[in-house]
Amino acid sequence: MAEGGPSPAILRLSRLAPLTTPDMAALTSALSERRELRAHRELLAEGREISAPRLIVSGWAARVRLLTDGRRQIMSLSLPGDLIGMCRQPRPLAVSTVVALTDVVHCPAPAAHSLPHLADAYAVSQALDEAYLLSQITRLGRLNAEERIGDLLLELHERLTLAGLTDRGGFNLPLTQEVLADALGLTSVHVNRMIQLMRREGDIEWKARRVILRDPEMLARRIGRMPPRVTAEKGRG
Amino acid sequence: MAEGGPSPAILRLSRLAPLTTPDMAALTSALSERRELRAHRELLAEGREISAPRLIVSGWAARVRLLTDGRRQIMSLSLPGDLIGMCRQPRPLAVSTVVALTDVVHCPAPAAHSLPHLADAYAVSQALDEAYLLSQITRLGRLNAEERIGDLLLELHERLTLAGLTDRGGFNLPLTQEVLADALGLTSVHVNRMIQLMRREGDIEWKARRVILRDPEMLARRIGRMPPRVTAEKGRG
DNA sequence: CGGCCATTTGAAGGAAGTCAAGCGTAGTGG
DNA sequence: CCACTACGCTTGACTTCCTTCAAATGGCCG
């Protein structure tokens, strides 16, 4: 996918904790076992037993819950470098369905038993996952539609930057407004109206799946957003 | 609190994974180091470094986030037997403030290095925590006010039952409607109206902090609620 | 060109919020 | 014993935000 640089997935992990040569070797070896999954297919099914943790190499996935009457909620988005199905209890069951939103490439997440730095990266990644779940809760519970959109875009910008997937202040957003609405607890109609409003107000540029935040810091200040920090170690997290 | 039986906290953990004598010994020894915290005081402050994980022995706490303009969101509730501040990354920072909603008794969560069963119980507990965060997201994103209240009450009933804190189909709910509203992403006025509606419809009894669900199974079916399962092991989870 | 899907727009309705006041009750102090 | 207070619950009138339903527009690809 990315030409020239390292895989965004590995880049991200190496930024969560400093990785050593054996860590990188394990990751690149895992990458050789990569598999492709088409959009709309499931990586994990809620209630089914989880086999082994996987790493998203490229593409976007989502943890979704479907209500009996067809309502759908996207609980979190999984981006390149994110882990899927990482748990420590015996015979774990998936607590949510994970579905590919785009074509997704994934590979095994190498076991970290004898790789303490990789284990740290996993731990930081998991802590960040939790932090983003908490943000999602606050977003849905206490922000209005415009704030929700801005907040989510800021989060995505931040996460994609960590994986080296932003450029010139913008990023590729391969989601329909329908999907966005399911993530934001809104209807696609209302998402559309608010996006247009934000365009008119000059907060965002958004054309052909590419989003540019005009002034991220200002936007963040306006909606009171704080990027999560999960470790006091120097390496970001 | 509980007369005669084992501590609700220990009861809960022992139900998440079968505990052996040394596990119980570690827990009872930890209980002797219990400390009391008054309502409204913080157990953990967002962004501050976490020292050691703690176990809620009695009382209710909440993970909260405060917005700059005073809006407040309760992201999750912590009940007896729940763990606080459990993470594996080096030098972890708290991702949320945890505040006591009632007077709370807490004690150290004993290290599980050489206690595999206790480690299992912790892992299951953490997986359940995540599952409840996901439920909270769906609740806020896709349920209407009445459904949210019913769904939360069902969750609490379920969790309190695990700790042996329910009786005669009901339980003690030491929360004001204001606090409930902050957990449900609503206003206290609207929570009040909906509670009265549910009372009139015969779904719940609610008087003097005591709640009784008239027909939990029926209610659960009506709002499409499924209790989370996180492990395929026989011991519940 | 035609079909399909995502986006856009309009009009109308409904769920939840806001503001403000009235109760009820438990606790406090004279 | 009775103000007096404080806090949580309750109610009413009005507003706002978001949804619903329906149709139109626009782009992309076979």
Side-chain angles (χ1 to χ4, degrees):
Chain A
M1 299 287 136
E3 309 81 0
S7 157
I10 295 187
L11 180 58
R12 184 185 107 100
L13 284 177
S14 71
R15 281 177 171 169
L16 297 185
L19 296 186
T20 60
T21 317
D23 300 313
M24 299 301 270
L27 284 169
T28 32
S29 140
L31 269 184
S32 69
E33 293 175 59
R34 71 180 69 189
R35 292 188 36 194
E36 177 130 13
L37 190 75
R38 313 291 312 211
H40 306 296
R41 309 301 280 275
E42 294 183 355
L43 278 109
L44 234 56
E46 182 171 350
R48 293 269 306 278
E49 205 153 339
I50 296 176
S51 46
R54 314 277 308 173
L55 177 66
I56 303 278
V57 176
S58 73
W60 290 42
R63 307 179 73 168
V64 302
R65 190 153 293 168
L66 239 53
L67 307 196
T68 46
D69 60 356
R71 283 178 286 184
R72 183 171 91 138
Q73 179 63 43
I74 291 181
M75 297 172 289
S76 71
L77 296 171
S78 298
L79 310 182
D82 283 350
L83 298 163
I84 302 282
M86 198 77 152
C87 9
R88 283 173 342 290
Q89 74 270 32
R91 307 197 52 201
L93 301 181
V95 291
S96 68
T97 297
V98 179
V99 60
L101 296 175
T102 66
D103 291 353
V104 162
V105 177
H106 56 101
C107 76
H113 295 132
S114 47
L115 298 169
H117 293 90
L118 187 59
D120 281 356
Y122 287 172
V124 171
S125 183
Q126 280 201 276
L128 275 174
D129 280 354
E130 187 185 1
Y132 287 124
L133 286 187
L134 297 178
S135 304
Q136 170 78 334
I137 289 172
T138 311
R139 195 147 54 215
L140 297 179
R142 287 296 179 224
L143 301 193
N144 65 31
E146 196 181 346
E147 293 169 326
R148 286 185 213 185
I149 296 173
D151 189 61
L152 180 59
L153 291 180
L154 285 167
E155 176 187 314
L156 292 174
H157 184 76
E158 182 181 298
R159 291 171 62 185
L160 290 170
T161 299
L162 198 56
L165 290 170
T166 49
D167 60 331
R168 290 165 290 132
F171 57 92
N172 194 51
L173 184 64
L175 307 180
T176 65
Q177 294 179 1
E178 179 85 41
V179 169
L180 230 28
D182 284 340
L184 294 169
L186 300 166
T187 59
S188 61
V189 171
H190 198 58
V191 166
N192 179 271
R193 288 196 236 267
M194 291 302 108
I195 286 175
Q196 291 177 62
L197 179 62
M198 294 175 77
R199 274 202 277 247
R200 266 180 273 129
E201 288 175 338
D203 290 328
I204 58 174
E205 255 175 78
W206 190 326
K207 214 165 45 184
R209 321 245 112 160
R210 182 175 166 78
V211 174
I212 301 176
L213 303 175
R214 284 297 181 70
D215 187 346
E217 290 75 19
M218 212 271 282
L219 185 58
R221 222 170 312 115
R222 216 175 63 213
I223 65 185
R225 176 184 167 76
M226 287 294 240
R229 293 215 60 205
V230 302
T231 169
E233 295 283 298
K234 57 191 172 306
R236 196 210 166 288
Chain B
M1 300 278 144
E3 309 81 1
S7 157
I10 295 187
L11 179 59
R12 185 186 107 100
L13 285 177
S14 70
R15 281 177 172 169
L16 296 186
L19 296 186
T20 59
T21 317
D23 300 312
M24 298 302 270
L27 284 170
T28 31
S29 139
L31 269 184
S32 70
E33 294 175 59
R34 72 180 67 190
R35 292 190 33 194
E36 176 132 12
L37 191 74
R38 311 292 311 211
H40 308 294
R41 309 302 278 277
E42 293 183 356
L43 277 109
L44 233 54
E46 182 170 351
R48 294 270 306 279
E49 204 154 341
I50 297 176
S51 47
R54 314 277 307 172
L55 177 67
I56 304 277
V57 177
S58 72
W60 291 42
R63 307 179 73 169
V64 301
R65 189 154 292 168
L66 238 53
L67 307 196
T68 46
D69 61 355
R71 285 178 284 184
R72 184 171 91 140
Q73 179 63 45
I74 290 180
M75 299 173 288
S76 70
L77 295 172
S78 299
L79 311 182
D82 284 349
L83 298 164
I84 302 283
M86 198 77 152
C87 10
R88 280 174 343 290
Q89 74 271 32
R91 306 195 54 200
L93 301 180
V95 290
S96 67
T97 297
V98 179
V99 61
L101 297 176
T102 66
D103 291 353
V104 162
V105 177
H106 56 102
C107 75
H113 294 132
S114 49
L115 299 169
H117 293 91
L118 186 59
D120 282 355
Y122 286 172
V124 171
S125 183
Q126 280 201 276
L128 275 175
D129 281 351
E130 187 186 2
Y132 286 124
L133 286 187
L134 297 177
S135 304
Q136 171 78 334
I137 290 173
T138 312
R139 192 148 55 213
L140 297 179
R142 287 298 180 219
L143 300 193
N144 64 30
E146 197 182 344
E147 292 168 327
R148 286 185 210 184
I149 296 172
D151 190 60
L152 180 58
L153 291 180
L154 285 167
E155 175 187 314
L156 292 175
H157 184 77
E158 183 181 299
R159 291 170 63 185
L160 290 170
T161 299
L162 197 57
L165 291 170
T166 48
D167 61 331
R168 290 164 290 132
F171 57 93
N172 195 50
L173 183 65
L175 307 180
T176 66
Q177 294 179 0
E178 179 86 41
V179 169
L180 230 28
D182 284 339
L184 294 169
L186 300 167
T187 59
S188 61
V189 172
H190 199 57
V191 165
N192 179 270
R193 289 197 238 264
M194 291 301 110
I195 286 175
Q196 289 177 63
L197 180 61
M198 295 176 76
R199 275 202 277 244
R200 265 180 272 127
E201 287 174 340
D203 290 327
I204 56 175
E205 254 176 79
W206 190 326
K207 216 164 44 180
R209 323 245 110 159
R210 182 173 167 80
V211 173
I212 301 176
L213 303 175
R214 284 296 181 70
D215 187 344
E217 291 75 19
M218 212 271 282
L219 185 58
R221 222 171 310 117
R222 215 175 64 214
I223 63 184
R225 176 184 167 75
M226 288 293 240
R229 292 216 60 203
V230 300
T231 171
E233 295 283 299
K234 56 190 175 305
R236 197 209 165 288

